[in-house]
């Protein structure tokens, strides 16, 4: 049985829960589990270190196997640790939070830190695609009209609209993450989209692929309020929007649990111009 897990983004808690559900289901039906991870293990959530450690450890059952792919955030993490070149400002903001899970911060960052280097060495080895003949697993998607063999890295880990809006069959059914679909996966004529925004929704999704049939397992926890606020601040910064007192109050109320994300977003729309 093949399973595919979408963007984890530092939610080691949800990853552990989802892997336990996969192992339980596979044991119940007497099947070995091939678990494909579509990338984006780091950033946003609180425990990027724990996520990568779990992937390196591999499956608990000897008959199962992990297939880990590289996503765009993983690629930026590699660059931030190794050279610092080609990392946009917004990704640095994410990186400074991510390395807290390694016991580091902006002032104590050491690019030769053994834990960072071990994880970079793991991420650097990861392929961009996994092709089982029926499904093509990839982080972001593929460029329509280009053969699988001729796809470029930029598209495989970054593409959005040109792939998502393509209404026709593709060389394979594409199983991907990268673009949040809400808290439910999406199945179309040519793709299975499994990024359910784990950091934002508290939902991490696995597609269960049995020939042409697709079903889903989900791990459900609490949204990461801190990550949601950091992401909102980052988005405002990218758009050149100032964090006014009213905006900060909306963030504070959400972090305190006195309002939910829909109300926070509504208030932000009123004051962020």
């Amino acid at each position: 049985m093949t399973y595919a897990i979408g963007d984890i983004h530092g939610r080691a808690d949800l990853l552990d829960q989802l892997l336990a559900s996969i192992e339980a289901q596979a044991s119940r039906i007497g099947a070995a589990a091939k678990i494909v991870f579509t990338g984006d293990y780091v950033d946003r959530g609180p425990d990027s270190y724990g996520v990568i450690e779990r992937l390196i450890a591999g499956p608990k059952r000897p008959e199962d196997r992990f297939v880990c792919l590289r996503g765009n955030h993983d690629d930026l993490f590699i660059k931030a640790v190794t050279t610092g070149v080609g990392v946009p400002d917004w990704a640095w903001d994410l990186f400074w939070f991510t390395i807290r899970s390694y016991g580091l911060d902006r002032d104590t960052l050491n690019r030769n830190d053994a834990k960072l280097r071990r994880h970079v060495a793991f991420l650097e080895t990861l392929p961009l695609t996994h092709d089982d003949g029926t499904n093509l697993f990839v982080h972001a998607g593929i460029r329509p009209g280009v053969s699988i063999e001729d796809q470029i890295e930029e598209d495989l880990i970054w593409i959005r609209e040109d792939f998502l809006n393509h209404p026709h069959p593709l060389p394979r059914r594409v199983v991907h993450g990268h673009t949040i679909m809400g808290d439910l996966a999406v199945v179309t004529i040519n793709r299975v989209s499994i990024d359910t925004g784990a950091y934002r929704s508290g939902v991490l999704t696995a597609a269960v692929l049995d020939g042409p049939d697709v079903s889903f397992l989900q791990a459900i926890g609490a949204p990461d309020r801190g990550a949601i606020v950091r992401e909102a601040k980052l988005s405002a910064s990218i758009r050149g929007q100032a964090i006014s007192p009213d905006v900060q109050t909306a963030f504070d109320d959400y972090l305190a649990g006195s309002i939910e994300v829909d109300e926070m977003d509504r208030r932000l729309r009123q004051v962020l111009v």
Side-chain angles (χ1 to χ4, degrees):
M1 186 72 72
T2 299
Y3 299 84
I5 295 179
D7 301 37
I8 303 168
H9 279 306
R11 290 300 301 261
D13 56 333
L14 298 178
L15 175 60
D16 286 340
Q17 182 184 334
L18 189 54
L19 287 175
S21 295
I22 290 171
E23 291 161 4
Q25 183 186 77
S27 295
R28 190 165 56 249
I29 64 177
K34 178 175 72 173
I35 306 171
V36 183
F37 300 86
T38 61
D40 274 11
Y41 312 116
V42 301
D43 293 339
R44 295 183 171 137
D47 196 8
S48 295
Y49 173 81
V51 169
I52 299 179
E53 280 292 292
R54 182 66 189 86
L55 298 178
I56 291 173
K60 294 180 179 179
R61 301 193 317 159
E63 64 268 38
D64 297 342
R65 69 182 178 109
F66 286 178
V67 178
C68 301
L69 306 179
R70 178 160 40 95
N72 61 315
H73 283 258
D74 311 316
D75 191 61
L76 291 168
F77 179 83
I78 292 168
K79 292 176 179 176
V81 173
T82 55
T83 66
V85 176
V87 181
D89 290 343
W90 62 263
W92 281 116
D93 288 342
L94 295 174
F95 178 75
W96 296 129
F97 179 80
T98 293
I99 61 173
R100 293 185 190 179
S101 66
Y102 291 79
L104 302 169
D105 58 28
R106 189 189 299 254
D107 297 324
T108 62
L109 172 63
N110 173 6
R111 287 192 167 90
N112 291 318
D113 178 86
K115 292 182 291 186
L116 284 176
R117 282 290 174 176
R118 179 168 174 264
H119 285 187
V120 163
F122 169 73
L123 294 172
E124 285 178 326
T125 67
L126 301 184
L128 299 177
T129 63
H130 176 70
D131 188 348
D132 68 7
T134 299
N135 303 288
L136 181 73
F137 301 88
V138 63
H139 177 61
I142 63 174
R143 174 73 57 185
V146 177
S147 68
I148 293 173
E149 296 77 12
D150 292 331
Q151 296 287 328
I152 63 172
E153 179 172 325
E154 177 80 7
D155 286 335
L156 294 173
I157 64 175
W158 286 100
I159 197 169
R160 291 195 197 274
E161 283 77 12
D162 288 348
F163 164 66
L164 297 173
N165 295 333
H166 185 69
H168 306 297
L170 293 164
R172 300 283 191 278
R173 179 173 61 183
V174 179
V175 183
H176 70 98
H178 185 56
T179 301
I180 297 175
M181 295 288 119
D183 57 5
L184 295 174
V186 170
V187 179
T188 73
I189 189 175
N190 54 25
R191 60 185 172 89
V192 180
S193 301
I194 53 174
D195 182 2
T196 47
Y199 81 93
R200 183 177 178 87
S201 64
V203 179
L204 180 63
T205 296
V208 186
L209 303 162
D210 186 9
D213 298 328
V214 185
S215 58
F216 299 97
L217 294 173
Q218 291 187 317
I220 299 176
D224 186 335
R225 290 178 182 256
I228 291 170
V229 168
R230 288 191 299 275
E231 197 73 13
K233 287 182 175 180
L234 182 58
S235 296
S237 174
I238 291 171
R239 295 192 297 267
Q241 297 168 321
I243 304 300
S244 68
D246 286 342
V247 170
Q248 188 59 53
T249 297
F251 289 151
D252 292 342
D253 288 347
Y254 177 65
L255 288 171
S258 58
I259 62 173
E260 296 303 320
V261 69
D262 289 346
E263 173 62 15
M264 183 188 77
D265 288 343
R266 186 191 67 79
R267 287 163 59 175
L268 294 182
R269 286 193 296 271
Q270 291 179 333
V271 296
L272 281 176
V273 295

